[in-house]
Amino acid sequence: MKNICLMLMLVFAAFSVNAQVLQTYIDTAFKNNIVLQQKNVSLEKAQYALKAAKGLFLPSVAFQAGYQTADGGRNIPLPLGDLLNPIYSTLNQITGANNFPRMENQTINFLPKNFHDAKVRTTVPIINTDIINNKRISEQQLTLKEFEVQIYKRDLVKEVKTAYYNYLSALAAVDVYKSGLQLVNEGLRVNQKLLENGKGLPAYVLRSQSEVESVRATLIDAEQKVNNARLYFNFLLNRNADDAIIVEKDDKNDLAKVQGLLATLDISGQREELKALNQVVSINKTVRKMNGQFAVPRLGAFLDLGTQSEGFKFNSNTRYYMLGLQLEIPIFSGNRNSNRIKESNLDLKNAELNANLVAQQLSLSAKTAQNNLRSAYQTYQSSQKQFEAASTYLRLIERGYLAGANSFVETIDARNQYTSAQILVNINLYKVLMAMANIERETASYTLN
C-alpha cells in the first residue's frame, strides 16, 4: 500500500506544473528561437520598406555633371564676311576712316568641344497615385508581417508546451519503471528466500531474474526517451542540448480547465491566420485600385541650379537656373492597363475565396481539437480506474501468492498489469495536457506579449 501511494504521488505530482516556469521557457523561446528571429528580420525589412515608400513623397535632390568634347562631324557655315564686308567698305568710304574692319567667314561645328554641364536637380512629385497606393500597400504588407510573427509565436507556444509535457511524461515513465524494478527485485528476493527455505522452485527464481532484466532494459529505453525529449526542448529554445530542464510543482491542476474547454469553444475569428488572409484581400483591393487609376495624369516639378561653359569657366555668364513642370497623360498602351485590371480582379476573387476556405478549415480544426480533448480526457479517466483496479489486483495476488493461494505466473501478470496501468495513466494524462495546448492554439486563446 505504501508503494501504491508513493507511485500515485509520483504520477500526479508532475501534472501540476508551475505555470510560471513554463511561461519562463516560452519567453526564452520567444527570445532565442532561430526561426522566430528570421521572422522578426522580415518584419524589420517591411518596416524599412514602408519608410522608403513614405520617402517618395519628399523632394529628391541630386548632383549631375557631364563633360563632352568632340571634333569633326557636321559644320554650319556662317558667311559673315560675304554679308558684312561690302557694307563695312561703304561705311569706311563714307566716313573716310577705317572703323569697320573686314570679317572672315565663320564655320560652327555641331559637336561640343571641351564642354561641361554641372547642376543640382531637385524633383518633387505633385500628382502621382502610384506613390500613394504603394505607400498603402507597404503599410498593409507590414501588418501582414506582424501577423506572420504572431502566427509563428502561437505555433512555438504549442511546440514548447508539447515538448515540455513530453519531457515530463518521459520522466514520469522513468519513475514508474524504477518503481517496477523495485517490485520485481522484491519478487526475486522473495522467491530466493522461498527456495532457500524449501518452499519455492528454481524456475520461479529464473523467471524473476528474467523479469528484472526485462524491466531494467525498459528503464534504459525510458531514460533514453528522456534525453531525446530534453534535446528537442532545448532545440526549440535554442539552448545548449545538455541544459537541464527545471520541473517545479504546486497545488494547481491544469485539468480543472478541461470542463470549461469542453463546455464552450470560442472560434470568434481571433486567429491571426484569418486576419492575415483579410489583409491579403485588402492588399489585392489596393492593387486593383492602383491599376484602375492608370488614366490619372502625373505631374511633377523640377528645379536645376548649375553652370555650363566651354573650357571649365565659371562666372556670372555660365551660371543658370531652370524651373519646370512635367505632365504625363496616358493615351494608349496596347490594352495593358485594362488587362492588369482584369488580372487584379481575379487575384482579389482568389484571395477572398482562399480566406473563406481557410476560415472553414480553422473552424473545423478547432472543433476537432475540442473532440480530441474530450476523447483524451475520457480515456484518462478510464485509465485512472484501470490503475486503481490493477493496484488492488496486485495487492490481492501478492497476498495470495505468499499464502500459497495464487501461482507465481499470476503475480507476474499482476505486476505487468500494474506497471502498464501506471504508464497508461501517465501517457493519457499528458495527452490531455497536450490536447489542451492544441485547443489553445486552435482558438488563439494564449495571450501574446
Side-chain angles (χ1 to χ4, degrees), residues 6-89:
L6 177 61
M7 292 313 305
L8 285 172
M9 291 176 62
L10 289 173
V11 172
F12 293 108
F15 301 156
S16 55
V17 179
N18 192 325
Q20 185 62 38
V21 174
L22 186 55
Q23 182 60 47
T24 301
Y25 282 134
I26 292 174
D27 294 338
T28 302
F30 284 170
K31 180 180 179 181
N32 297 339
N33 185 265
I34 295 178
V35 177
L36 185 57
Q37 291 178 12
Q38 293 175 329
K39 297 287 184 181
N40 287 325
V41 169
S42 297
L43 175 60
E44 190 173 357
K45 288 177 61 179
Q47 292 173 343
Y48 283 113
L50 176 58
K51 292 180 180 180
K54 291 180 178 179
L56 295 176
F57 289 94
L58 302 176
S60 177
V61 181
F63 174 75
Q64 299 177 358
Y67 172 78
Q68 296 176 334
T69 186
D71 197 4
R74 291 180 299 166
N75 296 315
I76 301 177
L78 295 177
L80 297 178
D82 296 340
L83 294 174
L84 297 178
N85 286 337
I87 299 174
Y88 285 175
S89 297

Coordinates of all heavy atoms in Angstrom, one line a residue, residues 6-89:
L6 N 3.0 5.9 -3.0 CA 4.2 6.6 -3.5 C 4.1 6.8 -5.0 O 4.4 7.9 -5.5 CB 5.4 5.8 -3.1 CG 6.8 6.4 -3.7 CD1 7.0 7.8 -3.1 CD2 7.9 5.5 -3.3
M7 N 3.6 5.8 -5.7 CA 3.6 5.9 -7.2 C 2.5 6.9 -7.6 O 2.6 7.6 -8.5 CB 3.3 4.5 -7.8 CG 4.4 3.5 -7.6 SD 6.0 4.2 -8.1 CE 5.7 4.8 -9.7
L8 N 1.4 6.9 -6.8 CA 0.3 7.9 -7.1 C 0.9 9.3 -7.0 O 0.6 10.2 -7.8 CB -0.9 7.6 -6.2 CG -1.8 6.4 -6.6 CD1 -2.8 6.2 -5.5 CD2 -2.5 6.7 -7.9
M9 N 1.6 9.5 -6.0 CA 2.2 10.8 -5.7 C 3.2 11.2 -6.9 O 3.2 12.3 -7.4 CB 2.9 10.9 -4.4 CG 2.0 10.8 -3.2 SD 2.9 10.7 -1.6 CE 3.8 12.3 -1.7
L10 N 4.0 10.2 -7.3 CA 4.9 10.5 -8.4 C 4.2 10.8 -9.7 O 4.7 11.7 -10.5 CB 5.9 9.3 -8.6 CG 6.9 9.0 -7.4 CD1 7.6 7.7 -7.7 CD2 7.9 10.2 -7.4
V11 N 3.1 10.1 -10.0 CA 2.4 10.3 -11.2 C 1.7 11.6 -11.3 O 1.8 12.3 -12.2 CB 1.5 9.1 -11.5 CG1 0.6 9.4 -12.7 CG2 2.3 7.8 -11.7
F12 N 1.0 11.9 -10.2 CA 0.1 13.0 -10.2 C 0.8 14.3 -9.8 O 0.3 15.4 -10.2 CB -1.1 12.8 -9.3 CG -2.0 11.7 -9.7 CD1 -2.1 10.5 -9.1 CD2 -2.8 11.9 -10.9 CE1 -2.9 9.5 -9.6 CE2 -3.6 10.9 -11.3 CZ -3.7 9.7 -10.7
A13 N 1.9 14.3 -9.1 CA 2.6 15.5 -8.7 C 3.1 16.2 -9.8 O 3.2 17.5 -9.9 CB 3.7 15.2 -7.7
A14 N 3.6 15.5 -10.9 CA 4.2 16.1 -12.0 C 3.2 16.8 -12.9 O 3.5 17.6 -13.8 CB 4.9 15.1 -12.9
F15 N 1.9 16.5 -12.7 CA 0.9 17.1 -13.6 C 0.6 18.5 -13.2 O 0.0 19.3 -14.0 CB -0.4 16.3 -13.5 CG -0.2 14.8 -13.8 CD1 -1.1 13.9 -13.4 CD2 0.8 14.5 -14.7 CE1 -0.9 12.5 -13.7 CE2 1.0 13.2 -15.0 CZ 0.1 12.2 -14.6
S16 N 0.8 18.9 -12.0 CA 0.5 20.3 -11.6 C 1.8 21.1 -11.7 O 2.4 21.5 -10.7 CB 0.0 20.3 -10.1 OG 0.9 19.7 -9.3
V17 N 2.2 21.4 -12.9 CA 3.5 22.1 -13.1 C 3.3 23.6 -12.9 O 2.3 24.1 -13.3 CB 4.0 21.8 -14.6 CG1 5.2 22.5 -14.9 CG2 4.1 20.3 -14.8
N18 N 4.2 24.2 -12.3 CA 4.2 25.6 -12.1 C 4.1 26.3 -13.4 O 5.0 26.2 -14.2 CB 5.4 26.0 -11.3 CG 5.3 27.4 -10.8 OD1 4.7 28.3 -11.4 ND2 5.8 27.7 -9.6
A19 N 3.0 27.1 -13.6 CA 2.8 27.8 -14.9 C 3.9 28.8 -15.1 O 4.2 29.1 -16.2 CB 1.4 28.4 -14.9
Q20 N 4.4 29.4 -14.0 CA 5.4 30.4 -14.1 C 6.7 29.9 -14.8 O 7.3 30.5 -15.6 CB 5.7 31.0 -12.8 CG 6.7 32.2 -12.8 CD 6.1 33.4 -13.6 OE1 4.9 33.6 -13.6 NE2 7.0 34.0 -14.4
V21 N 7.1 28.6 -14.4 CA 8.3 28.0 -15.0 C 8.1 27.8 -16.5 O 8.9 28.2 -17.3 CB 8.6 26.7 -14.3 CG1 9.7 26.0 -15.0 CG2 8.9 26.9 -12.9
L22 N 6.9 27.3 -16.9 CA 6.6 27.1 -18.3 C 6.6 28.4 -19.0 O 7.0 28.5 -20.2 CB 5.3 26.3 -18.4 CG 4.9 25.8 -19.8 CD1 6.1 25.0 -20.5 CD2 3.6 25.0 -19.8
Q23 N 6.0 29.4 -18.4 CA 5.9 30.7 -19.1 C 7.3 31.3 -19.3 O 7.6 31.9 -20.3 CB 5.1 31.7 -18.2 CG 5.0 33.1 -18.8 CD 4.3 33.0 -20.2 OE1 3.3 32.4 -20.4 NE2 4.9 33.7 -21.2
T24 N 8.2 31.0 -18.3 CA 9.6 31.5 -18.5 C 10.3 30.8 -19.7 O 11.0 31.5 -20.4 CB 10.4 31.2 -17.2 OG1 9.8 31.9 -16.1 CG2 11.9 31.7 -17.3
Y25 N 10.0 29.5 -19.9 CA 10.6 28.8 -21.0 C 10.0 29.4 -22.3 O 10.7 29.5 -23.3 CB 10.3 27.3 -20.9 CG 11.3 26.6 -19.9 CD1 10.8 25.7 -19.0 CD2 12.6 26.9 -20.0 CE1 11.6 25.1 -18.1 CE2 13.5 26.2 -19.1 CZ 13.0 25.4 -18.2 OH 13.9 24.7 -17.3
I26 N 8.7 29.7 -22.3 CA 8.1 30.3 -23.5 C 8.7 31.6 -23.8 O 9.0 31.9 -25.0 CB 6.6 30.4 -23.3 CG1 5.9 29.0 -23.2 CG2 5.9 31.2 -24.4 CD1 4.5 29.0 -22.9
D27 N 8.9 32.4 -22.8 CA 9.6 33.7 -23.0 C 11.0 33.5 -23.6 O 11.5 34.3 -24.5 CB 9.6 34.5 -21.7 CG 8.3 35.0 -21.3 OD1 7.3 35.0 -22.1 OD2 8.1 35.2 -20.1
T28 N 11.7 32.5 -23.1 CA 13.1 32.2 -23.6 C 13.0 31.8 -25.1 O 13.9 32.2 -25.9 CB 13.7 31.1 -22.7 OG1 13.7 31.5 -21.4 CG2 15.1 30.8 -23.2
A29 N 12.0 31.0 -25.4 CA 11.8 30.6 -26.8 C 11.5 31.8 -27.7 O 12.1 31.9 -28.8 CB 10.7 29.6 -26.9
F30 N 10.7 32.8 -27.2 CA 10.5 34.0 -28.0 C 11.7 34.8 -28.2 O 11.9 35.4 -29.3 CB 9.5 34.8 -27.2 CG 8.0 34.3 -27.3 CD1 7.1 34.9 -26.5 CD2 7.7 33.3 -28.2 CE1 5.7 34.5 -26.6 CE2 6.4 32.9 -28.2 CZ 5.4 33.4 -27.4
K31 N 12.6 34.7 -27.3 CA 13.9 35.5 -27.4 C 14.9 34.8 -28.2 O 15.7 35.4 -29.0 CB 14.4 35.7 -26.0 CG 15.7 36.6 -26.0 CD 16.2 36.8 -24.5 CE 17.5 37.6 -24.5 NZ 17.9 37.8 -23.1
N32 N 15.0 33.5 -28.1 CA 16.2 32.7 -28.7 C 15.9 31.9 -30.0 O 16.8 31.6 -30.7 CB 16.8 31.8 -27.7 CG 17.3 32.6 -26.5 OD1 17.6 33.7 -26.5 ND2 17.5 31.9 -25.3
N33 N 14.6 31.6 -30.2 CA 14.3 30.7 -31.3 C 14.8 31.3 -32.6 O 14.5 32.4 -33.0 CB 12.8 30.4 -31.3 CG 12.4 29.4 -32.4 OD1 12.1 29.7 -33.5 ND2 12.5 28.1 -32.1
I34 N 15.5 30.5 -33.4 CA 16.1 31.0 -34.6 C 15.1 31.3 -35.7 O 15.2 32.4 -36.4 CB 17.1 30.0 -35.2 CG1 18.3 29.8 -34.2 CG2 17.7 30.4 -36.5 CD1 19.3 28.7 -34.6
V35 N 14.1 30.5 -35.9 CA 13.1 30.8 -36.9 C 12.3 32.0 -36.5 O 12.0 32.9 -37.4 CB 12.1 29.6 -37.0 CG1 11.0 29.9 -38.0 CG2 12.8 28.3 -37.4
L36 N 12.0 32.2 -35.3 CA 11.3 33.5 -34.9 C 12.2 34.7 -35.1 O 11.7 35.8 -35.5 CB 10.9 33.4 -33.4 CG 10.1 34.6 -32.8 CD1 8.8 34.7 -33.6 CD2 9.8 34.4 -31.4
Q37 N 13.5 34.5 -34.9 CA 14.4 35.6 -35.2 C 14.4 36.0 -36.7 O 14.4 37.1 -37.1 CB 15.8 35.3 -34.8 CG 16.0 35.2 -33.3 CD 17.4 34.8 -32.9 OE1 18.3 34.7 -33.7 NE2 17.6 34.4 -31.6
Q38 N 14.3 34.9 -37.6 CA 14.2 35.2 -39.0 C 12.9 35.9 -39.3 O 12.8 36.8 -40.2 CB 14.2 33.8 -39.7 CG 15.6 33.2 -39.7 CD 15.6 31.8 -40.3 OE1 14.6 31.1 -40.3 NE2 16.7 31.4 -40.9
K39 N 11.8 35.5 -38.7 CA 10.5 36.2 -38.9 C 10.6 37.7 -38.5 O 10.1 38.6 -39.1 CB 9.4 35.5 -38.1 CG 9.1 34.1 -38.4 CD 8.4 34.0 -39.8 CE 8.0 32.6 -40.1 NZ 7.3 32.5 -41.4
N40 N 11.3 38.0 -37.4 CA 11.5 39.3 -36.9 C 12.4 40.1 -37.9 O 12.1 41.3 -38.1 CB 12.1 39.4 -35.5 CG 11.1 39.0 -34.5 OD1 9.9 39.2 -34.6 ND2 11.6 38.3 -33.4
V41 N 13.3 39.5 -38.5 CA 14.1 40.2 -39.5 C 13.3 40.6 -40.7 O 13.4 41.7 -41.3 CB 15.3 39.3 -40.0 CG1 16.0 39.8 -41.2 CG2 16.3 39.1 -38.9
S42 N 12.4 39.7 -41.2 CA 11.4 40.0 -42.3 C 10.5 41.1 -41.9 O 10.2 42.0 -42.7 CB 10.6 38.8 -42.6 OG 11.5 37.7 -43.1
L43 N 10.1 41.2 -40.6 CA 9.2 42.3 -40.1 C 10.0 43.6 -40.2 O 9.5 44.6 -40.6 CB 8.8 42.0 -38.7 CG 8.0 43.0 -38.0 CD1 6.7 43.4 -38.8 CD2 7.6 42.6 -36.6
E44 N 11.3 43.5 -39.8 CA 12.1 44.8 -39.8 C 12.3 45.3 -41.2 O 12.3 46.5 -41.5 CB 13.4 44.5 -39.1 CG 14.2 45.8 -38.8 CD 15.5 45.5 -38.0 OE1 15.6 44.3 -37.6 OE2 16.2 46.4 -37.7
K45 N 12.5 44.3 -42.1 CA 12.6 44.7 -43.5 C 11.4 45.4 -44.0 O 11.4 46.4 -44.8 CB 13.0 43.5 -44.4 CG 14.4 43.0 -44.2 CD 14.6 41.7 -45.0 CE 14.4 42.0 -46.5 NZ 14.6 40.7 -47.3
A46 N 10.2 44.9 -43.6 CA 9.0 45.5 -44.1 C 8.8 46.9 -43.5 O 8.3 47.8 -44.1 CB 7.8 44.6 -43.6
Q47 N 9.3 47.1 -42.3 CA 9.3 48.5 -41.7 C 10.1 49.5 -42.5 O 9.7 50.6 -42.8 CB 9.8 48.4 -40.2 CG 8.8 47.7 -39.3 CD 9.4 47.5 -37.9 OE1 10.6 47.6 -37.7 NE2 8.6 47.1 -37.0
Y48 N 11.3 49.0 -42.9 CA 12.2 49.9 -43.8 C 11.6 50.1 -45.1 O 11.7 51.2 -45.7 CB 13.6 49.3 -43.9 CG 14.4 49.5 -42.7 CD1 14.8 48.4 -41.9 CD2 14.8 50.8 -42.3 CE1 15.6 48.6 -40.7 CE2 15.6 50.9 -41.1 CZ 16.0 49.8 -40.4 OH 16.7 50.0 -39.2
A49 N 10.9 49.1 -45.7 CA 10.2 49.3 -47.0 C 9.1 50.3 -46.9 O 8.9 51.1 -47.8 CB 9.6 47.9 -47.4
L50 N 8.4 50.4 -45.7 CA 7.4 51.4 -45.5 C 8.0 52.8 -45.4 O 7.5 53.8 -46.0 CB 6.6 51.1 -44.3 CG 5.5 52.1 -43.9 CD1 4.5 52.3 -45.0 CD2 4.8 51.7 -42.6
K51 N 9.1 52.9 -44.7 CA 9.8 54.2 -44.6 C 10.3 54.6 -46.0 O 10.2 55.8 -46.3 CB 11.0 54.0 -43.7 CG 10.6 53.8 -42.2 CD 11.9 53.7 -41.4 CE 11.5 53.6 -39.9 NZ 12.7 53.4 -39.0
A52 N 10.8 53.7 -46.8 CA 11.2 54.0 -48.2 C 10.0 54.5 -49.0 O 10.1 55.5 -49.8 CB 11.9 52.8 -48.9
A53 N 8.8 53.9 -48.8 CA 7.6 54.3 -49.6 C 7.2 55.7 -49.2 O 6.8 56.5 -50.0 CB 6.5 53.3 -49.4
K54 N 7.3 56.0 -47.9 CA 7.0 57.3 -47.4 C 8.0 58.4 -47.9 O 7.6 59.5 -48.2 CB 7.0 57.4 -45.9 CG 5.8 56.6 -45.3 CD 5.9 56.7 -43.7 CE 4.7 55.9 -43.1 NZ 4.7 56.0 -41.6
G55 N 9.2 58.0 -48.1 CA 10.2 58.9 -48.6 C 10.0 59.4 -50.0 O 10.6 60.4 -50.5
L56 N 9.2 58.6 -50.8 CA 8.9 59.0 -52.2 C 8.1 60.3 -52.2 O 8.0 60.9 -53.3 CB 8.2 57.9 -52.9 CG 9.0 56.6 -53.1 CD1 8.1 55.5 -53.8 CD2 10.2 56.9 -53.9
F57 N 7.4 60.7 -51.2 CA 6.6 61.9 -51.2 C 7.6 63.2 -51.0 O 7.1 64.3 -51.3 CB 5.6 61.9 -50.0 CG 4.5 61.0 -50.2 CD1 4.5 59.7 -49.7 CD2 3.4 61.4 -51.0 CE1 3.5 58.8 -49.9 CE2 2.3 60.5 -51.2 CZ 2.4 59.2 -50.7
L58 N 8.8 63.0 -50.5 CA 9.7 64.1 -50.3 C 10.4 64.4 -51.5 O 10.6 63.6 -52.4 CB 10.7 63.7 -49.1 CG 10.0 63.3 -47.8 CD1 11.1 62.9 -46.8 CD2 9.2 64.4 -47.2
P59 N 10.9 65.7 -51.6 CA 11.8 66.1 -52.7 C 13.0 65.2 -52.9 O 13.6 64.8 -51.9 CB 12.1 67.6 -52.5 CG 11.0 68.0 -51.5 CD 10.7 66.8 -50.7
S60 N 13.5 65.1 -54.1 CA 14.7 64.3 -54.3 C 15.7 65.3 -54.9 O 15.4 66.0 -55.9 CB 14.4 63.2 -55.3 OG 15.6 62.5 -55.6
V61 N 16.9 65.3 -54.3 CA 18.0 66.3 -54.7 C 19.2 65.4 -55.2 O 19.6 64.5 -54.5 CB 18.4 67.2 -53.6 CG1 19.4 68.2 -54.1 CG2 17.1 68.0 -53.1
A62 N 19.7 65.8 -56.4 CA 20.9 65.0 -56.9 C 21.8 66.0 -57.6 O 21.3 66.9 -58.3 CB 20.4 63.9 -57.8
F63 N 23.1 65.7 -57.5 CA 24.1 66.5 -58.3 C 24.3 65.7 -59.6 O 24.6 64.5 -59.6 CB 25.3 66.6 -57.5 CG 26.5 67.3 -58.3 CD1 26.4 68.6 -58.5 CD2 27.5 66.5 -58.7 CE1 27.5 69.2 -59.2 CE2 28.5 67.1 -59.5 CZ 28.5 68.5 -59.7
Q64 N 24.3 66.4 -60.7 CA 24.5 65.8 -62.0 C 25.6 66.6 -62.7 O 25.5 67.9 -62.7 CB 23.2 65.8 -62.8 CG 22.1 64.9 -62.2 CD 20.8 65.0 -63.0 OE1 20.8 65.7 -64.0 NE2 19.8 64.3 -62.6
A65 N 26.5 66.0 -63.4 CA 27.6 66.6 -64.1 C 27.9 65.8 -65.3 O 27.8 64.6 -65.3 CB 28.8 66.8 -63.2
G66 N 28.3 66.6 -66.4 CA 28.6 65.9 -67.6 C 29.7 66.7 -68.3 O 29.8 68.0 -68.3
Y67 N 30.6 66.0 -69.0 CA 31.7 66.6 -69.8 C 31.6 66.0 -71.2 O 31.5 64.8 -71.3 CB 33.0 66.4 -69.1 CG 34.2 66.9 -69.9 CD1 34.5 68.2 -70.0 CD2 34.9 65.9 -70.6 CE1 35.6 68.6 -70.8 CE2 36.0 66.3 -71.4 CZ 36.3 67.7 -71.5 OH 37.4 68.1 -72.3
Q68 N 31.8 66.9 -72.2 CA 31.8 66.4 -73.6 C 32.8 67.2 -74.4 O 33.0 68.4 -74.2 CB 30.4 66.7 -74.2 CG 29.3 65.9 -73.6 CD 27.9 66.2 -74.2 OE1 27.7 67.3 -74.7 NE2 27.0 65.3 -74.2
T69 N 33.5 66.5 -75.3 CA 34.4 67.1 -76.2 C 34.4 66.3 -77.5 O 34.3 65.0 -77.4 CB 35.8 67.2 -75.6 OG1 36.6 68.0 -76.6 CG2 36.4 65.9 -75.4
A70 N 34.5 66.9 -78.6 CA 34.5 66.2 -79.9 C 35.2 67.0 -81.0 O 35.5 68.2 -80.8 CB 33.0 65.9 -80.3
D71 N 35.4 66.4 -82.1 CA 36.0 67.1 -83.2 C 35.5 66.4 -84.5 O 35.2 65.2 -84.5 CB 37.5 67.0 -83.2 CG 38.2 68.0 -84.1 OD1 37.4 68.9 -84.7 OD2 39.4 68.0 -84.2
G72 N 35.3 67.2 -85.6 CA 34.8 66.7 -86.8 C 33.3 66.7 -86.8 O 32.7 67.4 -86.1
G73 N 32.8 66.0 -87.8 CA 31.3 66.0 -87.9 C 30.8 67.1 -88.7 O 31.5 67.8 -89.5
R74 N 29.5 67.4 -88.7 CA 28.9 68.4 -89.5 C 29.2 69.8 -89.0 O 29.4 70.0 -87.8 CB 27.4 68.2 -89.5 CG 26.9 67.0 -90.2 CD 25.4 66.8 -90.2 NE 24.9 66.7 -88.8 CZ 23.7 66.9 -88.4 NH1 22.7 67.2 -89.4 NH2 23.3 66.7 -87.2
N75 N 29.3 70.8 -89.9 CA 29.6 72.2 -89.6 C 28.5 73.0 -90.2 O 27.8 72.7 -91.2 CB 30.9 72.6 -90.2 CG 32.1 71.8 -89.5 OD1 32.1 71.7 -88.3 ND2 33.0 71.4 -90.4
I76 N 28.3 74.2 -89.6 CA 27.4 75.2 -90.1 C 28.2 76.4 -90.6 O 28.9 77.1 -89.9 CB 26.4 75.7 -89.0 CG1 25.6 74.5 -88.4 CG2 25.5 76.8 -89.5 CD1 24.7 74.9 -87.2
P77 N 28.2 76.6 -91.9 CA 28.9 77.8 -92.5 C 28.1 79.1 -92.2 O 26.9 79.1 -92.5 CB 29.0 77.4 -94.0 CG 27.9 76.6 -94.2 CD 27.6 75.8 -93.0
L78 N 28.8 80.1 -91.7 CA 28.2 81.4 -91.5 C 29.0 82.4 -92.3 O 30.1 82.8 -92.0 CB 28.3 81.8 -90.0 CG 27.4 80.9 -89.1 CD1 27.6 81.4 -87.6 CD2 26.0 81.0 -89.4
P79 N 28.5 82.8 -93.5 CA 29.2 83.8 -94.4 C 29.1 85.2 -93.9 O 28.6 86.1 -94.6 CB 28.5 83.6 -95.7 CG 27.1 83.2 -95.3 CD 27.2 82.4 -94.1
L80 N 29.6 85.5 -92.7 CA 29.6 86.8 -92.1 C 30.4 87.8 -93.0 O 30.0 89.0 -93.2 CB 30.1 86.8 -90.7 CG 29.3 85.9 -89.7 CD1 29.9 85.9 -88.3 CD2 27.8 86.4 -89.7
G81 N 31.5 87.4 -93.5 CA 32.4 88.3 -94.3 C 31.7 88.7 -95.6 O 31.7 89.8 -96.0
D82 N 31.1 87.7 -96.2 CA 30.4 88.0 -97.5 C 29.2 88.9 -97.3 O 28.9 89.7 -98.2 CB 30.0 86.7 -98.2 CG 31.1 85.8 -98.6 OD1 32.3 86.3 -98.7 OD2 30.9 84.6 -98.7
L83 N 28.6 88.8 -96.2 CA 27.4 89.6 -95.9 C 27.8 91.0 -95.4 O 27.2 92.0 -95.8 CB 26.5 88.9 -94.9 CG 25.9 87.6 -95.3 CD1 25.1 87.0 -94.1 CD2 24.9 87.9 -96.4
L84 N 28.8 91.1 -94.6 CA 29.1 92.4 -93.9 C 30.2 93.2 -94.5 O 30.2 94.5 -94.4 CB 29.4 92.2 -92.4 CG 28.2 91.6 -91.6 CD1 28.7 91.3 -90.2 CD2 27.0 92.4 -91.6
N85 N 31.2 92.6 -95.2 CA 32.3 93.3 -95.7 C 31.9 94.4 -96.7 O 32.5 95.5 -96.7 CB 33.4 92.3 -96.3 CG 34.1 91.6 -95.2 OD1 34.2 92.1 -94.1 ND2 34.7 90.4 -95.5
P86 N 31.0 94.1 -97.7 CA 30.6 95.2 -98.6 C 30.0 96.4 -97.9 O 30.3 97.6 -98.2 CB 29.6 94.6 -99.5 CG 30.0 93.1 -99.5 CD 30.4 92.9 -98.1
I87 N 29.2 96.1 -96.9 CA 28.6 97.2 -96.1 C 29.7 98.0 -95.3 O 29.7 99.2 -95.3 CB 27.6 96.6 -95.1 CG1 26.5 95.9 -96.0 CG2 27.0 97.7 -94.3 CD1 25.4 95.2 -95.1
Y88 N 30.6 97.2 -94.7 CA 31.7 97.9 -94.0 C 32.6 98.8 -94.9 O 33.0 99.9 -94.5 CB 32.5 96.9 -93.2 CG 31.9 96.3 -92.0 CD1 32.5 95.2 -91.3 CD2 30.7 96.7 -91.6 CE1 31.9 94.7 -90.2 CE2 30.0 96.2 -90.4 CZ 30.7 95.1 -89.8 OH 30.1 94.6 -88.7
S89 N 32.8 98.3 -96.1 CA 33.7 99.1 -97.0 C 33.0 100.4 -97.4 O 33.6 101.5 -97.5 CB 34.0 98.3 -98.3 OG 34.7 97.1 -98.0

